[in-house]
Amino acid sequence: SQKIEQNSEALNIQEGKTATLTCNYTNYSPAYLQWYRQDPGRGPVFLLLIRENEKEKRKERLKVTFDTTLKQSLFHITASQPADSATYLCALEVGGNQFYFGTGTSLTVIP
Amino acid sequence: KAGVTQTPRYLIKTRGQQVTLSCSPISGHRSVSWYQQTPGQGLQFLFEYFSETQRNKGNFPGRFSGRQFSNSRSEMNVSTLELGDSALYLCASSFPGGDEQYFGPGTRLTVT
């Protein structure tokens, strides 16, 4: 069965540093992978999508990489701010608009 | 443009009862997916509807069902509730052919 692992459940970093979150998967070759942000009591919010033929995607302070050989995606937030504190989820498209989500990494940016 | 809305936001039910949750997608979105989110299992896919047809179904028992109406609004039903059904139920909608999912705020279901 599909298994999606995100690095440590919680990640604390100092403001201004780069946060790097990891998403590893097995048993599937997704056409694309997404990253979402979820704040307490709210639904996830879409951040970035990267396709299997793309190595890297950027949006403002966010950067996503996708290595289909390693079956891994890295999500970077540069110049992190306390407002970036949230849970970040990766999601794999497994066909037909069906998605499997990782359990998430809770990021805390310390002022 | 209004976002995805879910009603009710909070619900408390007793074991053995049934419950119906509602989701109104963003105008123009025809695909609606439902997810269950718990601290232990994370976000798990329940099912996806497109143009009133269930296209995909996750690995949940038959007690979980859903439907979609001609205006793309969707409902999910859980019968014979169990304590383990306590969770945040999220729905998400997307454009036809779109890759982004837009999530609603969720319905927090507590089964006692």
Side-chain angles (χ1 to χ4, degrees), chain A residues 32 34 36 38 41-44 46 49 51 89 95-103, chain B residues 9 31 33 35 37 41 43 45 48 55-57 90 94 98-101 103-105:
Chain A
Y32 59 87
Q34 301 175 332
Y36 288 80
Q38 186 173 24
R42 295 175 176 264
F46 172 83
L49 177 154
R51 300 187 184 279
L89 302 160
N97 212 37
Q98 182 172 344
F99 295 87
Y100 289 152
F101 279 79
T103 50
Chain B
R9 291 293 313 277
S31 170
S33 298
Y35 295 85
Q37 187 173 34
Q41 298 296 320
L43 258 167
F45 175 79
E48 187 245 354
R55 292 200 298 190
N56 294 292
K57 189 177 191 318
L90 292 157
S94 60
D99 302 323
E100 293 181 37
Q101 293 186 92
F103 282 84

Side-chain angles (χ1 to χ4, degrees), chain B residues 87-112:
Chain B
L88 180 67
Y89 290 89
L90 292 157
C91 82
S93 71
S94 60
F95 277 116
D99 302 323
E100 293 181 37
Q101 293 186 92
Y102 294 81
F103 282 84
T107 295
R108 173 74 62 186
L109 172 65
T110 302
V111 182
T112 62

Side-chain angles (χ1 to χ4, degrees), chain A residues 50-92:
Chain A
I50 187 164
R51 300 187 184 279
E52 59 180 341
N53 60 349
E54 297 175 316
K55 295 293 184 186
E56 181 180 299
K57 198 75 135 338
R58 291 175 185 262
K59 179 182 176 182
E60 298 172 355
R61 295 184 296 110
L62 309 180
K63 184 179 85 170
V64 174
T65 63
F66 194 11
D67 188 326
T68 55
T69 301
L70 291 178
K71 294 187 181 292
Q72 180 183 78
S73 175
L74 299 179
F75 177 79
H76 306 272
I77 305 175
T78 58
S80 59
Q81 306 166 0
D84 295 327
S85 299
T87 295
Y88 292 85
L89 302 160
C90 67
L92 271 62

Side-chain angles (χ1 to χ4, degrees), chain B:
Chain B
K1 184 188 277 191
V4 177
T5 58
Q6 292 187 245
T7 56
R9 291 293 313 277
Y10 303 92
L11 205 48
I12 300 175
K13 289 285 189 179
T14 304
R15 222 170 5 169
Q17 288 185 315
Q18 75 160 10
V19 66
T20 299
L21 312 181
S22 179
C23 172
S24 292
I26 292 172
S27 177
H29 287 194
R30 290 166 58 191
S31 170
V32 174
S33 298
W34 286 89
Y35 295 85
Q36 180 194 68
Q37 187 173 34
T38 59
Q41 298 296 320
L43 258 167
Q44 292 187 285
F45 175 79
L46 280 157
F47 27 67
E48 187 245 354
Y49 286 87
F50 181 82
S51 292
E52 302 179 65
T53 300
Q54 184 182 92
R55 292 200 298 190
N56 294 292
K57 189 177 191 318
N59 190 25
F60 277 81
R63 299 185 297 106
F64 291 82
S65 63
R67 59 178 175 169
Q68 187 180 34
F69 302 95
S70 58
N71 62 358
S72 294
R73 190 177 71 84
S74 177
E75 289 182 347
M76 69 162 280
N77 184 276
V78 188
S79 61
T80 319
L81 284 166
E82 300 177 0
L83 295 178
D85 296 333
S86 294
L88 180 67
Y89 290 89
L90 292 157
C91 82
S93 71
S94 60
F95 277 116
D99 302 323
E100 293 181 37
Q101 293 186 92
Y102 294 81
F103 282 84
T107 295
R108 173 74 62 186
L109 172 65
T110 302
V111 182
T112 62

